[in-house]
Amino acid sequence: MSDHIDGPRSIGDPPTDVTDLFAFKSPENPDRIVFVANFFPFAGQSALFSNAADYSIVVRQVTQTGMGTKAGFKPIGQELRFTFQFDSLQSHDDGKLHAQKGTCRLPDGRLLSLTVGQESGVTTSDSTVRVFAGLRSDPFFVGWLRDGVWKPVKNLIEGDNILSVVLEVDTSKILHPQDGSLFGVIAETTSRVSKNSSHANFQRYDWVGRPEQTNFILFMPGKTDLSDLWNQQTPFALSQELIPLFRQRLTDSLSQWDRNDDKQQWDDASLEAHVNIRLNDFLLIDVAKPTSDTSYLEIEKSAIEARPHTTGGGRTLNAKDIDILVTWLANRDQGPFWQSPATQATKPGGTRFPYVQPPNLETTRITRHIDVQAPPERVWEIIGDFGSVWHPLVANLTLTGQGIGQLRRIETVDGKVFVERLSGRDETKKVLNYTMISGIPADIYEGQMSVEPNGSGSRISWTINFRHAGMAGFILDITISTLIYTGMAALQAKFGSAQ
Amino acid sequence: MNAKNIRFAYCPTVTQGHIAILNHESALAHYWSVLSQWPERPGTVLQIVEEESKRSQFFTDVSALDRLVALCRARYATYPEQPETHILAARTASIRHHFDQASTHVYTAQKLGAAADEIEEIRLTLDQATGGSPEALLTAREAYARQRPSLQNLVLLAALYAEHYEIELAEQTYLQALASYNELSPFPLAWICFQLGMLWGETAPDTDTEQATYWYQQAVDYLPGYTHASVHLAEIYLNAGDHTQALALLHANLQSGDPEVFWRLEQIAYSQGHTQEAQRYHALAADTYERLLTRHALAFADHAAEFYLSEGNQEQELQRGFCLAKLNLSNRSTLRAFELTYEGACAVGDLVQASQIQAQARNKFGRDKAFGFSVFSERSI
């Protein structure tokens, strides 16, 4: 997805998997360009950057070498490399871990120190560069799945998070567009050894230019997977030896895409031009022109159609870029737009730095049902009573207050203390809701017990919806699972199992 | 074999263990969350298997097995005709040492069109786990590693060399895996280092405690909380009389729930003359093993057998150990399984069974180099 999990190597090492790259004019200030590079697909809530990799955004001036069937783009000039490095975690004296720190090395050698997750980011003293790094909601969305044919599906990235680095630069002072306003951008992860050194241990783990170059285009079911080979290529300079291999694959794949609607909209010459563009894979942006949610690929398209481009191209966070891409691949924009059900990201990109939205923090839901012989009324007398001591792990229970808002203080047989609050009770539907006030390290904790008729007996349901606070993780899962399972076993024994 | 020189092989710099563990735990939580909300999402199930396997292997998290079993049941109820369902079931059954079940699921997965590579890999793993024909297995493993020289295949080949007492070959292959590694996850490296620790600490006829200590420590350095590595390292310190180091390692791993932690604490307590404390740890270890056996008997039969057959135990526990050893042998006829059962038979004084086991072992492994280093080569009844 974009470049999520796009090769066997990346699968084994998710923090170095480059998932996406975006480039667009800053919504806050049109004199600035924003680059966003994302890593670590399906990152969890505690995800961190590796301390052993370089995370880089590389920008190079690009020139257009031709139009129509000769369309092409070539990098010229030096690369502007912005490299993020992150530290190991350090412990406090009490064993707790500090927030992760890092640095961003700018092309001129300046270092910006940053703290991962610091929302405001950090800015150079001359305000020409501002950076952010941290866990964010994945801004990517895609609604196409290859299952023999391409099927429209709901957003495959719904609810996911990634690790994001955001780089905002003063266009004129950093990119010098007066020398040429067209730029190619890539993002890559490499080992922490200079690529110019002879150290045999330099590794490139992954890189991305345009989205879905590997997953949607280079990968063809039934054919040798070239993703890993591609991911290890040097961006802006593919191996000459391998170009024929990649050229053939791109030609085959793009031809197959063109046949999706049983019409051929790509003639051989234009297809070849498209292949040539893709062999030089970088995200194109013209910093002198506006970018928008529809400008993605406009530069490439215009080049092949032999007309000047009118937008800055690039790729904004909210562009329906995959639908734009597949439409162009399938019918060269000469047929219906391939609109998938995925119309936006879980949290669409914002208009303020760092533009990528805070992470999705998931809750865990544990539910258990049991069927018992007793009728609902009898069961409700017990579980519907907020002060009833029926759970075998409860040693003491004290109530404070009455009605909604009532508190119960529970002391367990092993000495723990919980305080819970009655948040809802429906006598007719026989549903009781409560929340945890203290005693369990969760920043969301909602419980519900209910009973409903089931034949001559009842079905009892107990659900706890919670979210870990800090690193509580699996211990919390097990604690709550045990609470539910033990309690339900006691209720089953009390009310008799249904036949 | 240059056993007395410590080879400080190049150990790559990778992601810090604390970071890798946080990433692993939080990714796993996320996959489970995704699965609960969107069961059909492609790839989620196999990601869960991957991460839960890590929890089981590195952190002795037995609840990982429980979760995988529950996941298998749920998938089978909903998607019985998907090859992914049977691959999941095969892998889970294999981790739990339900090898017959695993084979059945592999066969079904193959019929349903699972990738040939995946089928072949699981079959080889099952053959190795169940003690297939030694020569044929080694030939197959070597060929597989030549065709697909991935880190995993090299390590599994090295482990097989070790079982055959080809110590130099085993070490070379482990070091080859180490040298070939160019990723950033510390998990595979910790695994290789642990295997090297086992090679020099337990397998090699001339054990080398210094090397074993070095490699176990490397494993723990790569992955803090790597329970097996910590416990084996603690055992080395214990045997050397360094109770302070041993206790530090064991106490750091008490939360893991690994009964071997209690077992080693028992040994330390006895050696310090704290009999009551030792008995308490012994009871904890026994209790924990029994709880594990009720849930995953085949996976823990051999470990529990070793515990119950250890020196100083009472008759009842020795009988329990012998029974568990036989259960393990019935499930996987490896040379080690034969050895353990033979030790059990001797411990309870059943010389008839001991003789039978020896004969069976000789029949299967008599021509193998490893047999010459086994307990059978020194005894005759």
Side-chain angles (χ1 to χ4, degrees), chain B residues 76 80-87 90 101-114 119 123:
Chain B
Y76 195 78
E81 298 301 315
Q82 278 189 8
E84 191 181 69
T85 298
H86 292 275
I87 293 291
Q101 214 179 80
S103 291
T104 303
H105 282 294
V106 167
Y107 176 72
T108 308
Q110 185 177 33
K111 276 193 355 179
L112 291 173
I119 297 294
R123 280 216 170 105

Side-chain angles (χ1 to χ4, degrees), chain B residues 21-281:
Chain B
I21 291 168
L22 281 171
N23 285 341
H24 148 74
E25 287 180 348
S26 64
L28 180 54
H30 179 69
Y31 290 130
W32 277 110
S33 175
V34 166
L35 189 73
S36 69
Q37 290 161 61
W38 188 2
E40 306 84 16
R41 180 162 153 180
T44 309
V45 168
L46 290 179
Q47 293 282 6
I48 288 174
V49 174
E50 186 68 35
E51 299 304 324
E52 291 286 14
S53 299
K54 278 182 190 154
R55 292 214 61 74
S56 169
Q57 177 183 351
F58 293 101
F59 309 115
T60 61
D61 181 355
V62 180
S63 64
L65 300 184
D66 297 331
R67 289 190 290 273
L68 284 177
V69 169
L71 180 60
C72 283
R73 288 194 186 126
R75 296 300 291 190
Y76 195 78
T78 317
Y79 309 105
E81 298 301 315
Q82 278 189 8
E84 191 181 69
T85 298
H86 292 275
I87 293 291
L88 161 67
R91 290 200 184 279
T92 303
S94 179
I95 296 170
R96 299 179 69 220
H97 292 195
H98 288 224
F99 301 119
D100 286 344
Q101 214 179 80
S103 291
T104 303
H105 282 294
V106 167
Y107 176 72
T108 308
Q110 185 177 33
K111 276 193 355 179
L112 291 173
D117 271 2
E118 198 155 18
I119 297 294
E120 191 177 355
E121 186 213 312
I122 300 176
R123 280 216 170 105
L124 258 182
T125 303
L126 289 174
D127 277 346
Q128 189 160 343
T130 53
S133 157
E135 285 163 15
L137 181 58
L138 188 57
T139 304
R141 257 287 167 220
E142 284 174 332
Y144 196 71
R146 268 196 305 274
Q147 289 161 20
R148 299 169 190 81
S150 69
L151 180 136
Q152 172 159 307
N153 289 337
L154 287 174
V155 174
L156 291 172
L157 175 59
L160 196 55
Y161 282 141
E163 283 177 36
H164 285 257
Y165 278 79
E166 297 291 354
I167 304 301
E168 272 200 42
L169 266 179
E171 187 191 47
Q172 272 170 28
T173 311
Y174 280 133
L175 293 178
Q176 183 189 347
L178 201 63
S180 71
Y181 189 66
N182 55 14
E183 304 291 344
L184 288 184
S185 170
F187 284 92
L189 291 182
W191 180 34
I192 299 171
C193 292
F194 173 73
Q195 294 292 115
L196 280 161
M198 291 268 288
L199 183 71
W200 290 114
E202 295 175 35
T203 309
D206 296 328
T207 55
D208 187 328
T209 307
E210 266 190 286
Q211 286 227 50
T213 303
Y214 171 74
W215 288 115
Y216 285 139
Q217 187 61 59
Q218 278 292 127
V220 174
D221 288 346
Y222 274 129
L223 212 57
Y226 188 171
T227 314
H228 286 314
S230 300
V231 172
H232 281 254
L233 186 56
E235 193 181 358
I236 289 178
Y237 287 127
L238 168 64
N239 292 336
D242 188 344
H243 293 167
T244 308
Q245 293 264 42
L247 281 170
L249 282 161
L250 294 170
H251 284 145
N253 283 276
L254 269 173
Q255 298 278 1
S256 69
D258 187 339
E260 194 169 343
V261 173
F262 298 129
W263 182 13
R264 301 303 168 202
L265 286 168
E266 173 201 347
Q267 290 174 320
I268 292 175
Y270 267 127
S271 66
Q272 291 177 334
H274 302 149
T275 309
Q276 272 193 334
E277 187 182 347
Q279 287 168 348
R280 190 164 58 86
Y281 281 129

Side-chain angles (χ1 to χ4, degrees), chain A residues 340-387:
Chain A
S340 74
T343 55
Q344 66 177 40
T346 311
K347 292 182 183 175
T351 55
R352 298 176 66 86
F353 186 92
Y355 309 107
V356 206
Q357 302 288 13
N360 306 296
L361 300 180
E362 60 247 357
T363 56
T364 304
R365 178 184 296 262
I366 300 178
T367 298
R368 184 111 204 274
H369 310 284
I370 55 169
D371 294 320
V372 297
Q373 292 175 18
E377 294 72 26
R378 197 169 139 227
V379 174
W380 181 242
E381 278 175 16
I382 303 300
I383 68 166
D385 180 355
F386 194 54

Side-chain angles (χ1 to χ4, degrees), chain A residues 13 42 48 50-51 89 160, chain B residues 15-16 23 30 41 183-184:
Chain A
D13 225 359
F42 319 124
L48 294 169
S50 170
N51 59 298
L89 293 179
D160 288 342
Chain B
T15 300
Q16 183 195 29
N23 285 341
H30 179 69
R41 180 162 153 180
E183 304 291 344
L184 288 184

